[in-house]
Each structure stands twice: as C-alpha cells, then as structure tokens.
C-alpha cells in the first residue's frame, strides 16, 4: 500500500504549478542560469549554496521541472531509505523474509511524506522539499557506508562520505545540521556502552569527521553575505534572548503535541509492530531484551527533544509564532521521529512475545491499523488531488491570459491569487506582502502586477 500511495502521489504531481518562492526562482534561473542562482542565495538570500544548486536542477526546466520534482524526489527518498533499512536490519542478526527492508523503507517514506500536516509543502512544493524534506534523508543515507564498511577501502569511503555529506548539509539546511550534530554527539557519548569494542574507534572517528564536515559547511554558510543579510533582516540577534528561548519552548511543546496526536504516524508504529512480529517468527527462541535497549530508547528521545527544540529556536526569530503552523519546518526532525516510531513498534512486538503472548494477535492488530491509516492517507491525497487540479486549471487560464497581454505590450497585468495549502500569494496580509508580486512581474517580463477583482 505505501508504494501504491507513492505512485498515486507521483501521478498527482502533474497538477503542480508555481507558487510562493517559485515565482522568484524561475526567472532567475531562466535569465541567469546556475551562476545567477548561486549568486542570489550566497550573496543576498541566506548563503545556502547547495540549496541554490538543487533549485537550479529543477527550475531550469520551468513548470515541467516543478511537476517532475515530486516523482523524482519521491523515488530518490524511497531508494535512499531502502538502502538505509537494508544496511540497518542485518544488525538484528536474523534472516528476515525477502522484501522486509523495502516494506520498512516504503512505510517510512509514505508516513514522512504523506502523514505530514501539509503534504503539499512537504512533497509537492520543490522549494520546501529541497530545504526541509530531502536534507534529513541525505543525512540518513550518509550512515549507510559506515554500516556497510567491512574493509579498509570501505572505511575510507565511509569517512569520505561523512565529510562531504556533512559539509553539503551545512550549506543546505541549518535545521538538519542541528539534528545531525545532536545525533552524532549522542552517538559519541553512548558509544562506550552501545557499540562493540571492535568497531568503537572507527565509529567515533566517523562521527568526528561528520561533525567536522558539518561545522565547515555551517561556517561557509554563516560567514556568507546572504546569511549576514538574513540575520539582519530577520532580527536573528534575538535568538538567544530569554524571551525568545521561552517562547520557542512553548512553540516546540505545541508542535510535539500536534505530532504525538496526529493519526497518520500510527502507520509508522504499526509498521514497526509488523516488523517486530516478523523478527519474532523468524527466531522466537532468541527474543530477549537487547543489550542497552533502554539506553538506546532514552538516547533517541533526548536527541528528538534537543534537536526539535534547537530547530525551533533557530526558526523562531524569522517566523515568530508561525513556527507552530509552518509544518515544513518540522520535517528536519520528523524523519527521526518516524524512524523512532518504527523502532518503538518493533520493541513492542518483542515485549509482547516475552510476556508469553501470541504474536499473531499483535500482528493482526498492527496490520489492521496499518491498512486503515494507509486508506486514510489515500483519502487525504484524493482531496489534495482535487484541489490541485482545480488550481492548475485556473492557473493555466490565467497564465495564458497574462502571457498574451504581455506579448501585446501590456506593462501592468492584473493577477488573481490562487492559494493552495497556505502557499504564499501576492497581496496577502492586507496587501503588505509585496515580494511575490515583484517576482511574478519579472516572471512575465512586465513592470508590475495588480490585484485582479471580478471575473477575468
């Protein structure tokens, strides 16, 4: 079912049309290419050089690039998480049924992308996906080489991957960088008890190289003219003020409550429950409490809390109370939350078996919940598909009209906002939000646009 959800969502992406920041990116890439995009990000916007490169990869194809981004990124996320799960599951030291890694990866992918409180911005909107959806997946993928390393060459490759990926993430997403630093720091702290002695030194070295890469990338971003400009305009100097820290804590508590009570995440727990039942069935006689299991659970919770709060602190000066509604900002640590829920589900199945109960009951319950949630996600996608189709048809009509008027020599064009799922449109906030209008005017090569009223 998760693969069917991904296929349906990919087909729905044909209705994606530009909105929000896309209006600004498309004309820059069209008129200046990669160099103009890098210049915009590094010198003026935020310093995220890798972000600029990724935006260029799809924006260079115009509207078609917007439409193909979601299917391409969805497949990429699935493949990377599949590789991650295939490398992590052998740690259970059990011969699992074929397809188990794909099942877990598909579950995590579907819940992460479609269980979001705003799937449009998480999956369909390229600008948000590049900044907050893909980075945590890249961070997970960077772990695969260290789990697979069994030779000197493999270890060298793992170290190289850690350094380069860390530097790239540092220049791509401040929030994912914080999450990665928290996870790596926690790994180093618990490595003396949780990692076998034979691999302990290498894992610590790998963590040190990854941290160094993240720090280098972050320094490149932080010292950029664009980052300096963003800090000045967004009043980032207030980030560590007691008031800001307190309000960030309140905002994160609200976010945590929303995530803990969101029904789509039940699929992750149910998927983990199914996985745990499979592990028990493969070798029921070996189901004992894993070494340092409690330590790992506590460490995951601490990393989630520390990273989530730190991400909220970073975003609060720019978004203020908007961090509680800008769900795309949560994705940098929500992937870790989804993975933890799968882990918790697997541990629950093992605990159920250790109490002498039949796993068939747990398996049936997990499967039922899993399918019900997947059906709910399918229904949500169907509603979103309808809304996207309506907007796409209206967008295409307006686009054709504006292009014909611009070709006829018009210098000022009327534009009717076409919002969807809280996407930014011009003339918002009672006309105070003007930057989208400037970008739309550049997109159509006219002097200005005005707010259209009535039937056009």
């Amino acid at each position: 079912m998760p693969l069917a959800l991904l296929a349906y969502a990919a087909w729905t992406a044909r209705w994606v049309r530009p909105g929000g920041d896309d209006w600004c990116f498309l004309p820059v890439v069209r008129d200046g290419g990669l160099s103009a995009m890098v210049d915009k990000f590094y010198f003026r916007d935020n310093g995220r050089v890798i972000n600029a490169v990724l935006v260029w990869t799809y924006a260079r194809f115009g509207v078609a690039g917007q439409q193909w981004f979601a299917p391409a990124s969805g497949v990429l996320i699935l493949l990377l998480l599949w590789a991650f799960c295939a490398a992590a599951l052998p740690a259970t030291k059990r011969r699992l049924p074929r397809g188990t890694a794909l099942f877990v990866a598909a579950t995590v992918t579907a819940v992460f992308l479609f269980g979001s409180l705003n799937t449009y911005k998480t999956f369909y909107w390229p600008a948000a996906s590049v900044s907050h959806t893909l980075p945590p997946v890249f961070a997970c993928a960077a772990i695969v080489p260290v789990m697979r390393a069994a030779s000197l060459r493999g270890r060298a490759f793992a170290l190289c991957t850690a350094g380069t990926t860390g530097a790239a993430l540092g220049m791509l997403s401040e929030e994912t960088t914080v999450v990665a630093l928290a996870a790596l720091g926690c790994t180093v702290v618990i490595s003396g008890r949780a990692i076998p002695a034979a691999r302990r030194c290498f894992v610590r070295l790998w963590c040190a190289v990854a941290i160094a890469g993240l720090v280098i990338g972050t320094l490149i971003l932080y010292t950029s003219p664009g980052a300096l400009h963003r800090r000045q305009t967004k009043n980032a100097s207030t980030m560590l003020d007691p008031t800001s820290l307190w309000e960030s804590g309140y905002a994160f508590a609200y976010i945590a409550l929303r995530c803990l009570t969101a029904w789509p995440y039940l699929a992750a727990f149910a998927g983990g429950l199914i996985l745990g039942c499979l592990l028990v069935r493969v070798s029921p006689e070996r189901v004992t409490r894993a070494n340092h299991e409690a330590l790992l659970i506590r460490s995951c919770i601490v990393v989630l809390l520390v990273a989530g709060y730190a991400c909220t602190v970073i975003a609060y000066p720019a978004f203020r109370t908007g961090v509680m509604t800008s769900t795309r900002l949560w994705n940098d640590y929500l992937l870790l939350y989804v993975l933890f829920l799968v882990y918790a589900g697997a541990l629950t199945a093992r605990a159920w078996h250790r109490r002498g109960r039949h796993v068939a009951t747990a398996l049936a319950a997990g499967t039922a919940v899993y399918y019900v949630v997947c059906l709910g996600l399918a229904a949500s996608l169907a509603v979103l598909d309808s809304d996207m189709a309506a907007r796409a048809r209206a967008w295409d009509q307006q686009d054709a009209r504006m292009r014909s008027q611009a070709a006829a020599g018009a210098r000022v064009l009327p534009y009717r906002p076409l919002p969807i799922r809280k996407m930014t449109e011009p003339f918002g906030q009672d006309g105070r939000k003007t930057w989208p209008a400037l970008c739309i005017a550049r997109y159509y090569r006219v002097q200005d646009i005005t707010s259209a009223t009535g039937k056009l």
Side-chain angles (χ1 to χ4, degrees), residues 128-423:
S129 180
V130 162
S131 299
H132 302 287
T133 303
L134 288 177
V137 178
F138 292 155
C140 273
I143 304 174
V144 175
V146 70
M147 291 190 290
R148 293 288 193 184
S151 63
L152 184 60
R153 181 176 296 180
R155 293 188 173 194
F157 177 73
L159 293 175
C160 180
T161 302
T164 54
T165 304
L169 287 175
M171 294 183 284
L172 173 61
S173 172
E174 298 94 326
E175 288 82 3
T176 296
T177 297
V178 167
V179 176
L181 287 173
L184 291 168
C186 185
T187 301
V188 173
V189 170
I190 69 173
S191 61
R193 295 176 57 190
I195 298 176
R199 290 182 59 83
R200 191 175 300 152
C201 289
F202 171 63
V203 170
R204 287 174 174 173
L205 176 61
W206 182 87
C207 289
V209 172
I211 291 172
L214 289 166
V215 171
I216 291 172
T218 301
L219 286 175
I220 294 174
L221 185 151
Y222 185 82
T223 57
S224 68
L228 176 61
H229 177 261
R230 182 177 177 83
R231 290 195 297 272
Q232 292 174 341
T233 56
K234 300 298 183 180
N235 200 23
S237 60
T238 64
M239 181 186 304
L240 300 181
D241 288 351
T243 301
S244 181
L245 292 175
W246 173 260
E247 291 176 351
S248 297
Y250 174 81
F252 179 62
Y254 173 85
I255 294 169
L257 181 62
R258 290 288 303 275
C259 294
L260 288 172
T261 56
W263 60 267
Y265 294 111
L266 283 173
F269 182 83
L273 194 64
I274 295 171
L275 172 63
C277 292
L278 292 176
L279 291 172
V280 170
R281 285 191 166 185
V282 169
S283 50
E285 72 285 354
R286 297 175 59 187
V287 180
T288 57
R289 184 177 295 276
N291 294 331
H292 314 301
E293 187 174 282
L295 174 64
L296 293 176
I297 294 173
R298 289 196 299 269
S299 299
C300 289
I301 294 174
V302 168
V303 170
L304 273 171
L305 293 177
V306 171
Y309 174 65
C311 288
T312 308
V313 169
I314 291 173
Y316 190 82
F319 291 86
R320 308 303 294 178
T321 56
V323 296
M324 295 188 289
T325 55
S326 298
T327 55
R328 70 184 187 279
L329 302 176
W330 311 353
N331 292 333
D332 297 275
Y333 50 89
L334 278 186
L335 177 60
L336 186 61
Y337 175 57
V338 173
L339 290 171
F340 175 71
L341 287 178
V342 173
Y343 179 55
L347 294 182
T348 300
R350 293 174 57 187
W352 181 274
H353 179 74
R354 283 199 301 267
R355 291 173 179 264
R357 298 169 180 171
H358 295 293
V359 294
T361 304
L363 182 60
T367 302
V369 171
Y370 188 84
Y371 275 93
V372 168
V373 175
C374 286
L375 289 174
L377 293 177
S380 298
L381 282 174
V383 173
L384 181 57
D385 177 28
S386 177
D387 293 343
M388 290 171 61
R391 179 180 187 266
R393 295 186 183 99
W395 192 96
D396 290 341
Q397 292 176 1
Q398 179 162 254
D399 178 66
R401 172 184 58 79
M402 295 180 72
R403 288 185 182 278
S404 64
Q405 291 178 348
R411 302 303 300 158
V412 178
L413 303 178
Y415 175 86
R416 175 184 294 163
L418 299 170
I420 182 172
R421 295 302 190 269
K422 299 182 179 180
M423 286 287 291

